[in-house]
């Protein structure tokens, strides 16, 4: 490979970037914005449960790269042990093709849970544990594995992003699983920021996005008032385009002035 630095100073040199939940919605939009920023020697690892749209995105980003970006896609259900192991193995395999000067891990994968139910309807431990396995446990395990595998290297940066939500701070009726999961993840990453001061940690709430998840919110939420609230967001054009919110996150990462562990919302910026 050409040892000369990329002529464009805006490109990130030799970065390993990992995006979970990359097959659709916010993750897909973010991956599309990140790929052109990754300079020579960089790699992009895309993780999601849906194999076909993930492979399609990876092919698109490979074909569109001017720097020979290595793009790997791994279909894995992070909510189960086997899927998590597959993701970690893929991460280590990509790392072996380094060296990389920077690690960027975006924990975006997540689910709503059954929003037709109220708090008192949740009595099945298996359903609850399954939800937290995907939405909390996998983010902790994958982040821990990634940071350990990349290691502390002089002059190398490590950044971890948690895609958060207003629901991490505020309770919503019928969203007991989602709110609990988001609050748990925010606190989890605040602890990481405290324990590992050389790792840059950001909890980014992307705002009410125009996604399949929002469609579920306004059609399946059990509480009528909440359903109406989400419907009014859509009808009044207040839902945010994924690429617009992803651009704000990219700007935050490029400026790199946020307080590590902070919770920043789309509307704060």
């Amino acid at each position: 490979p050409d040892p000369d630095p990329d002529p464009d100073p805006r490109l990130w040199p030799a970065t390993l970037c990992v995006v979970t939940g990359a097959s659709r919605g916010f993750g897909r939009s973010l991956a599309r914005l990140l790929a052109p920023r990754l300079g020579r020697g960089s790699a992009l690892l895309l993780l999601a449960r849906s194999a076909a749209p993930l492979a399609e995105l990876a092919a698109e980003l490979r074909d569109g790269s001017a720097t020979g970006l290595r793009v790997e896609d791994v279909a894995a259900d992070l909510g189960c042990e086997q899927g998590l192991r597959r993701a970690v193995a893929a991460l280590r395999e990509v790392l072996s093709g380094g060296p990389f000067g920077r690690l960027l891990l975006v924990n975006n994968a997540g689910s709503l849970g059954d929003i037709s139910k109220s708090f008192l309807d949740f009595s099945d431990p298996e359903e609850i544990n399954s939800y937290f396995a995907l939405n909390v446990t996998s983010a902790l395990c994958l982040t821990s594995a990634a940071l350990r595998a990349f290691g502390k290297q002089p002059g190398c940066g490590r950044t971890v992003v948690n895609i958060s939500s207003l629901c991490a701070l505020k309770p919503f009726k019928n969203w007991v699983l989602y709110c609990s999961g988001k609050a748990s993840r925010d606190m989890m990453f605040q602890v990481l920021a405290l324990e590992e001061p050389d790792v840059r940690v950001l909890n980014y709430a992307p705002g009410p996005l125009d996604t399949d998840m929002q469609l579920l919110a306004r059609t399946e939420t059990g509480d009528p008032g909440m359903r109406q609230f989400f419907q009014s967001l859509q009808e009044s054009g207040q839902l945010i385009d994924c690429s617009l919110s992803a651009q704000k996150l990219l700007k935050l990462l490029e400026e790199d002035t946020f307080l590590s562990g902070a919770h920043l919302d789309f509307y704060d910026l």
Side-chain angles (χ1 to χ4, degrees), residues 50-191:
S50 306
L54 194 65
E56 180 187 283
L57 175 65
E60 172 197 316
L61 299 183
R62 268 186 223 109
D63 293 345
S65 173
T67 58
L69 176 66
R70 178 181 178 184
V71 183
E72 298 292 336
D73 58 290
V74 176
D77 180 358
L78 298 178
C80 70
E81 211 172 314
Q82 184 186 13
L84 198 50
R85 278 201 303 268
R86 189 182 304 134
V88 171
L91 173 68
R92 289 186 177 134
E93 195 275 324
V94 173
L95 262 177
S96 69
F100 297 99
R102 182 183 186 186
L103 170 69
L104 171 62
L105 169 59
V106 182
N107 289 287
N108 169 65
S111 63
L112 268 180
D114 190 343
I115 52 173
S116 69
K117 292 181 176 180
S118 67
F119 186 108
L120 299 184
D121 296 323
F122 284 101
S123 55
D124 178 7
E126 192 177 332
E127 179 183 8
I128 298 163
N129 290 339
S130 172
Y131 181 84
F132 280 94
L134 170 63
N135 291 276
V136 179
T137 308
S138 74
L140 174 53
C141 293
L142 184 63
T143 302
S144 170
L147 291 174
R148 280 201 317 270
F150 193 84
K152 292 185 182 184
Q153 305 170 40
C156 292
R158 296 182 294 170
T159 302
V160 175
V161 178
N162 167 43
I163 301 305
S164 184
S165 168
L166 175 62
C167 295
L169 310 177
K170 180 182 176 180
F172 282 65
K173 286 181 181 177
N174 289 101
W175 286 35
V176 64
L177 292 184
Y178 190 77
C179 290
S180 301
K182 288 298 185 184
S184 177
R185 272 170 58 151
D186 261 38
M187 182 54 73
M188 188 166 80
F189 286 107
Q190 286 179 55
V191 171

Side-chain angles (χ1 to χ4, degrees), residues 193-207:
L194 203 59
E195 289 183 356
E196 300 290 338
D198 63 323
V199 176
R200 303 284 287 136
V201 182
L202 174 64
N203 291 304
Y204 175 69

Side-chain angles (χ1 to χ4, degrees), residues 29-51:
S29 293
L30 182 62
R32 281 180 167 144
L33 286 175
L34 282 168
R37 297 289 208 289
L38 301 174
R40 209 170 301 282
S42 294
L44 178 58
L45 174 59
L46 305 172
L47 300 169
R49 285 182 285 188
S50 306

Side-chain angles (χ1 to χ4, degrees), residues 179-243:
C179 290
S180 301
K182 288 298 185 184
S184 177
R185 272 170 58 151
D186 261 38
M187 182 54 73
M188 188 166 80
F189 286 107
Q190 286 179 55
V191 171
L192 172 63
L194 203 59
E195 289 183 356
E196 300 290 338
D198 63 323
V199 176
R200 303 284 287 136
V201 182
L202 174 64
N203 291 304
Y204 175 69
L209 300 173
D210 191 5
T211 60
D212 292 343
M213 196 178 271
Q214 266 296 322
L215 176 61
L216 288 174
R218 61 182 181 266
T219 55
E220 295 191 9
T221 299
D223 182 72
M226 284 293 296
R227 259 200 328 274
Q228 181 54 49
F229 168 70
F230 289 119
Q231 284 166 10
S232 67
L233 284 182
Q234 193 254 343
E235 288 162 5
S236 59
Q238 291 183 66
L239 293 182
I240 300 160
D241 184 82
C242 287
S243 60

